[in-house]
Amino acid sequence: MDSPDSDGQVAEQLLRLTRRLHRIQSRQLEPIGITPAQFRLLRTVAHYDGAPRMADLAERLDVVPRAVTTLVDGLEASGRVRRAPDPTNRRVVRIEITEEGRSVLRSLRNARKAAAEEILAPLTAGQRDVLGGLLTALVDGMPERRRC
């Protein structure tokens, strides 16, 4: 039977791993001039079929709308996204990814792959599969618990 102390150790290890991954990712994003949060927003915008509203992005990213505004400001200043009026409601602003934004995403895919390879290097293919399954179980279990 697992003890509460071993659960605490696992949680601490996950936090340390998350910080390490964040450091590696930040190191790889820095030369491109994008923060991890901006990268996450850019990826999110790119995954929508159409241009999302700011509120859609805030909900998807689980952040307050003001945080999205700040991220969009930075990405817009660098030419990676643009604000566009909604064709049916002039009060609504939609966020579109630009060609520059798509180009950045293509180059960042390689950076993410390199970061993952660096983190996972000590594991065998079988261990990676097990870890992937465990992480999926943890991630998939989170929303239900938070909403209850």
Side-chain angles (χ1 to χ4, degrees):
M1 181 177 222
D2 291 333
S3 71
D5 194 37
S6 68
D7 288 347
Q9 287 178 323
V10 169
E12 180 60 31
Q13 288 172 314
L14 285 171
L15 286 171
R16 288 176 55 208
L17 183 60
T18 300
R19 287 186 202 116
R20 182 173 172 218
L21 187 57
H22 185 77
R23 279 192 309 273
I24 291 168
Q25 186 179 29
S26 294
R27 186 176 67 231
Q28 291 171 335
L29 296 177
E30 188 176 355
I32 298 169
I34 191 169
T35 67
Q38 288 174 329
F39 175 47
R40 187 170 172 231
L41 184 124
L42 195 59
R43 273 194 347 237
T44 302
V45 171
H47 281 99
Y48 273 89
D49 287 333
R53 299 173 307 140
M54 299 278 260
D56 297 330
L57 293 169
E59 184 178 330
R60 176 82 56 97
L61 296 170
D62 196 24
V63 298
V64 296
R66 178 70 193 131
V68 171
T69 300
T70 302
L71 293 172
V72 168
D73 288 346
L75 288 169
E76 188 175 39
S78 65
R80 294 169 178 153
V81 299
R82 70 177 152 260
R83 287 176 168 89
D86 183 287
T88 61
N89 184 344
R90 67 181 194 179
R91 293 176 297 176
V92 173
V93 174
R94 298 210 172 254
I95 306 305
E96 299 175 340
I97 189 167
T98 64
E99 189 49 47
E100 170 65 19
R102 290 188 194 289
S103 174
V104 166
L105 279 179
R106 283 190 293 273
S107 65
L108 291 174
R109 280 190 196 105
N110 293 332
R112 285 187 76 206
K113 185 176 179 183
E117 287 173 1
E118 185 175 334
I119 289 284
L120 299 173
L123 303 180
T124 66
Q127 289 171 324
R128 290 176 188 204
D129 288 343
V130 170
L131 178 62
L134 293 170
L135 292 172
T136 296
L138 290 173
V139 169
D140 289 350
M142 286 174 53
E144 292 79 50
R145 286 189 209 142
R146 261 199 278 180
R147 289 184 187 143
C148 293

